[in-house]
Amino acid sequence: MRFTEDDERYMRLALSEARAALEQGEIPVGCVIAKDGSVIASAHNLVRQTGDVTAHAEMLAIRQAGRYALKRATMYVTLEPCPMCAGALALSGISRLVYAAKDSQYGCCGSVYRIPEDPAFPGFCICDGGLLEDEAALLLKQAFKEIREQ
């Protein structure tokens, strides 16, 4: 699928969230949820800061938006969602996911599995990956280099 100018604009906002996470010592993953031309939620990882393993950017953004606001929304995230986040996405009512970097180890929106597109879930969420992938991957490499040096 081709990405639109709006897709790129929202992904750049998600990358800004990822940079904020990196500045706070978190794994740099950022998320933006958009609907009807507006951002309705944005977040970045807070796992290390909070000690909460569920404080992934996607989970925080879904909580911030509220369940009923998510119908027909699009989620933009800088790293392909893990199984937990992909499951939440599948149950949320979000109709489309756009992600930047693939996660060949844990990615469940195309790389390892496609949870949001599984007919076992009540909704169907189209998953598109690779938008601004190099920028997101660079942030992740920087973070893991810093973690190894600690």
Side-chain angles (χ1 to χ4, degrees):
M1 163 164 200
R2 280 193 210 225
F3 297 109
T4 67
E5 287 180 22
D6 282 344
D7 290 336
E8 186 171 334
R9 180 169 53 95
Y10 292 128
M11 185 60 77
R12 291 206 178 281
L13 293 172
L15 283 164
S16 292
E17 287 286 342
R19 283 189 283 281
L22 183 63
E23 289 171 7
Q24 295 174 16
E26 296 283 346
I27 301 301
V29 177
C31 180
V32 167
I33 300 175
K35 181 178 177 180
D36 300 328
S38 298
V39 172
I40 62 170
S42 61
H44 57 268
N45 276 7
L46 291 174
V47 173
R48 297 176 93 188
Q49 185 175 328
T50 63
D52 178 357
V53 297
T54 70
H56 290 199
E58 303 95 321
M59 300 295 286
L60 297 172
I62 286 171
R63 289 178 197 144
Q64 185 185 111
R67 184 169 191 266
Y68 297 103
L70 296 171
K71 300 261 185 237
R72 296 177 309 282
T74 299
M75 176 183 280
Y76 297 87
V77 64
T78 59
L79 179 64
E80 180 181 359
C82 70
M84 173 183 67
C85 295
L89 178 63
L91 294 170
S92 71
I94 292 172
S95 60
R96 182 170 176 239
L97 166 73
V98 177
Y99 63 89
K102 294 178 176 149
D103 184 344
S104 60
Q105 188 173 10
Y106 300 111
C108 282
C109 295
S111 292
V112 177
Y113 189 62
R114 297 184 84 83
I115 290 174
E117 295 179 352
D118 190 312
F121 288 95
F124 184 84
C125 179
I126 297 166
C127 300
D128 295 317
L131 178 62
L132 303 177
E133 182 174 13
D134 292 342
E135 291 181 46
L138 187 61
L139 286 173
L140 290 162
K141 286 177 188 171
Q142 181 181 345
F144 289 119
K145 180 181 182 224
E146 289 174 10
I147 289 169
R148 282 191 301 274
E149 290 173 354
Q150 291 177 353

